[in-house]
Amino acid sequence: MTSPNYKLIVNYGPEMPIITGPASAETGHSVTFNCSASSQPLCHFSWFFNGSQVATGSVYETGPLTLASHGEYTCVAFNNITGRNSTISKMLTVVETVTMTIVKVIGAQPILNERFSLTCGTAGMVYSIQWMRNGWPLYANNRTDFSMNNNTLTFSSVQHSDNGDYQCSASNPFSNMTSPNYKLIVNCE
């Protein structure tokens, strides 16, 4: 005579969930977050964005991102049998595409031995700006200087040797854009 097989099932969890998905993304794109947690029986998932519930299930896909999509995404894992839940959050930084760069003159036109400035006009979210002259990167020297965030190039005493085609390139982790050429021609007084 054989004894019946009994299976001992231990209910537990959920353990601390894990969210996979990007930490930053570009406006206009969607992102997918996955949430997983060890649990017996399998747990249920809810998603919250900045405190408001937005979805249920282990996968959450945002719609096309806007700057308002920036914030905290929270996954709550819930076990119906144990009555326990566990929560984890992930911050998403939304970055706006660089959509414009243009070199503009600030103030007076370039006159030999005078102070002269160019600015890099941009639209979108710009993390860095690089200046170029005739296609080569420009660096500060004893006559040229850049503003704190690099959007302004200033010549303390502009010379004929500074003549050339100037461009600025604006970038963030997802996009970059280079301005059309600005032709600098230094005038005599």
Side-chain angles (χ1 to χ4, degrees):
M1 181 166 172
T2 58
S3 60
N5 289 338
Y6 291 102
K7 214 180 235 182
L8 178 62
I9 297 174
V10 178
N11 295 316
Y12 68 91
E15 304 295 334
M16 176 60 80
I18 297 168
I19 294 179
T20 57
S24 59
E26 190 178 16
T27 53
H29 293 257
S30 297
V31 298
T32 302
F33 293 114
N34 286 283
C35 189
S36 59
S38 180
S39 178
Q40 178 65 42
L42 295 177
C43 51
H44 301 277
F45 298 95
S46 294
W47 287 94
F48 295 82
F49 169 61
N50 289 343
S52 299
Q53 186 168 352
V54 290
T56 57
S58 62
V59 178
Y60 175 58
E61 184 171 350
T62 68
L65 296 171
T66 66
L67 291 179
S69 309
H70 170 92
E72 186 178 56
Y73 290 80
T74 302
C75 168
V76 178
F78 180 74
N79 183 320
N80 284 344
I81 303 300
T82 64
R84 296 217 298 259
N85 67 50
S86 195
T87 301
I88 190 164
S89 296
K90 185 176 186 81
M91 285 299 294
L92 178 68
T93 301
V94 178
V95 178
E96 195 175 21
T97 308
V98 178
T99 54
M100 179 195 87
T101 54
I102 188 166
V103 175
K104 299 186 283 194
V105 174
I106 300 178
Q109 291 300 308
I111 295 171
L112 187 65
N113 296 323
E114 297 284 326
R115 186 177 179 85
F116 175 70
S117 294
L118 294 171
T119 188
C120 186
T122 61
M125 201 172 283
V126 175
Y127 283 29
S128 66
I129 292 174
Q130 170 70 57
W131 285 88
M132 290 155 293
R133 177 173 169 256
N134 299 329
W136 294 91
L138 264 180
Y139 301 100
N141 61 31
N142 60 349
R143 284 191 312 101
T144 59
D145 198 20
F146 300 98
S147 64
M148 192 73 76
N149 57 4
N150 254 23
N151 72 332
T152 303
L153 164 63
T154 300
F155 300 87
S156 59
S157 172
V158 74
Q159 303 296 311
H160 290 301
S161 60
D162 296 317
N163 285 348
D165 291 327
Y166 287 78
Q167 291 176 293
C168 62
S169 179
S171 62
N172 65 40
F174 299 97
S175 60
N176 65 69
M177 184 171 273
T178 301
S179 70
N181 282 336
Y182 168 81
K183 187 171 281 301
L184 174 60
I185 299 171
V186 176
N187 305 301
C188 294
E189 286 187 62

